[in-house]
Amino acid sequence: MEDDLLAGDFIWVNKFSYGPRFPQTLLSIPFTKNYLPFSDTRHSYLTWIELPYFRLPGIEKIKRNDVIVFNFPLEDGPPIDKKDNFIKRCIGLPGDTITISDKVVSINGVAAAPLPNVKYSYEVFATVDTLSSYLYRTLHVTEGEMISSDNKYIFMLTEAEADSVTKMSNILLVKRLSVEYPSTDMFPGGQFSSWNKDNYGPLYIPKKGATIHLDIDSLVLYARIITNYEKHSLNIQHDSIFIDGKYSTSYTFTMNYYFVLGDNRDNSADSRFWGFVPENHIIGKASYVLFSLKQNPQRSMWRGVNWSRMFTSIR
């Protein structure tokens, strides 16, 4: 999420925005996360009593481009409210169809307005071997390094930062990198493995009450929703699909789902890699930076308080 959020930021998460979620795991020790102090194996909670998902009404609905905090969906071991917390920008809402073409995100066939702080990877050729430290001092660029002895660098830059670097006297070339080859790391894989992080979709984001046609192709996209999130049994026999033991050619979703991206697009583990965020995994809206510590990435040390970021809103 850099530069909207930085390492060292302490975030205020507003759980009332989308409605506070009732605790589901009642028997747990507060402020211990998942494990007892000084132990990596003994859980700090018991699953003897678990409540079903329930959320009070919120003061607003999730909007496109909201920065949301949620429990990581792919973590199948612990209860939902004990999964790790992730923070990403909500790009796709329930019922949307999302497509990414040469890094440009489109929603329902319309290109989304570019966000000023979105970063991509750039290849930079320079005449000096001190560019990393110079860009950190002048533009506060924290991600990047020289990758060859001929002063070739890779940096994560916003469009404005890339323009600034291009105008520097010791720069020969600045080129935004893109991926053209398929990637097997992308969600959902299978026959959709031709997708990559720069060219992705189209992908329909499930909406509560919406019904889709089920076949072997569509099942690859939504099998995890059916089994892991909405808790149905699923079997395939000779290309026939059985849900809870019944032959099925369609499926109706019982929850809303969301598609999230990180603002650091070429260095983000987001929905492109692991899929949808179910509504019962959403914790709240990231609203403010309450406190922030400076970090020097050249030395991996904290360098005091970042006063300029304190009490700033997250947009």
Side-chain angles (χ1 to χ4, degrees):
M1 289 296 297
E2 292 191 2
D3 284 333
D4 292 286
L5 300 174
L6 301 176
D9 285 349
F10 292 78
I11 307 302
W12 171 265
V13 181
N14 189 344
K15 297 182 179 180
F16 289 93
S17 290
Y18 312 134
R21 186 180 61 179
F22 272 38
Q24 294 167 269
T25 309
L26 297 184
L27 303 178
S28 63
I29 300 174
F31 310 113
T32 57
K33 193 52 176 124
N34 288 343
Y35 296 97
L36 293 173
F38 312 109
S39 173
D40 294 329
T41 58
R42 300 184 64 184
H43 287 123
S44 60
Y45 61 87
L46 297 172
T47 57
W48 297 348
I49 303 176
E50 290 185 275
L51 296 181
Y53 164 68
F54 179 74
R55 187 187 299 272
L56 291 175
I59 58 177
E60 60 178 314
K61 293 184 178 181
I62 298 176
K63 299 184 295 295
R64 192 170 292 114
N65 293 329
D66 279 359
V67 178
I68 63 174
V69 178
F70 54 93
N71 299 110
F72 184 48
L74 248 60
E75 194 175 355
D76 289 331
I80 292 173
D81 56 347
K82 296 300 180 182
K83 296 181 180 183
D84 287 338
N85 295 339
F86 265 44
I87 181 168
K88 299 290 179 186
R89 189 176 298 278
C90 179
I91 298 297
L93 300 175
D96 284 345
T97 296
I98 187 165
T99 307
I100 303 174
S101 179
D102 193 22
K103 299 183 183 292
V104 176
V105 177
S106 295
I107 308 295
N108 302 323
V110 179
L115 299 171
N117 287 333
V118 169
K119 287 186 171 185
Y120 297 107
S121 55
Y122 285 82
E123 192 175 56
V124 179
F125 292 88
T127 60
V128 295
D129 59 4
T130 57
L131 189 60
S132 295
S133 57
Y134 179 74
L135 292 188
Y136 173 71
R137 293 194 308 270
T138 57
L139 298 178
H140 197 69
V141 174
T142 58
E143 289 186 87
E145 60 183 353
M146 187 166 64
I147 61 172
S148 66
S149 58
D150 59 348
N151 299 328
K152 177 181 176 182
Y153 297 81
I154 297 291
F155 289 109
M156 301 296 177
L157 304 170
T158 65
E159 185 176 348
E161 289 170 344
D163 289 340
S164 296
V165 173
T166 302
K167 296 173 184 177
M168 295 178 178
S169 59
N170 53 6
I171 301 300
L172 301 175
L173 176 67
V174 176
K175 177 184 177 183
R176 192 175 75 172
L177 298 177
S178 60
V179 177
E180 297 179 358
Y181 51 85
S183 174
T184 57
D185 294 334
M186 312 308 296
F187 171 84
Q191 64 266 44
F192 300 94
S193 58
S194 61
W195 297 354
N196 59 48
K197 62 183 179 181
D198 292 341
N199 298 279
Y200 188 91
L203 176 67
Y204 171 76
I205 304 168
K207 182 177 182 179
K208 182 178 180 179
T211 300
I212 59 165
H213 172 70
L214 269 189
D215 54 28
I216 297 301
D217 291 338
S218 62
L219 191 61
V220 175
L221 295 167
Y222 305 112
R224 182 173 178 83
I225 287 179
I226 297 171
T227 57
N228 293 65
Y229 304 148
E230 303 194 355
K231 304 300 181 183
H232 298 284
S233 66
L234 176 65
N235 292 288
I236 302 174
Q237 300 178 14
H238 306 293
D239 291 341
S240 295
I241 300 169
F242 294 84
I243 298 177
D244 296 332
K246 297 180 180 179
Y247 173 69
S248 302
T249 58
S250 64
Y251 183 77
T252 301
F253 299 104
T254 60
M255 278 197 297
N256 286 318
Y257 294 83
Y258 300 85
F259 190 94
V260 297
L261 293 176
D263 285 357
N264 198 347
R265 293 288 165 84
D266 289 337
N267 190 21
S268 174
D270 51 39
S271 286
R272 294 171 295 179
F273 295 89
W274 44 258
F276 309 105
V277 180
E279 65 178 40
N280 63 355
H281 282 57
I282 292 172
I283 299 171
K285 182 178 183 179
S287 300
Y288 297 96
V289 176
L290 289 180
F291 184 74
S292 183
L293 293 174
K294 291 181 180 179
Q295 186 184 33
N296 185 342
Q298 308 297 321
R299 299 181 182 179
S300 299
M301 295 173 60
W302 299 110
R303 308 291 293 178
V305 177
N306 193 346
W307 297 103
S308 65
R309 292 188 59 79
M310 293 179 63
F311 304 107
T312 56
S313 60
I314 298 172
R315 300 184 181 278

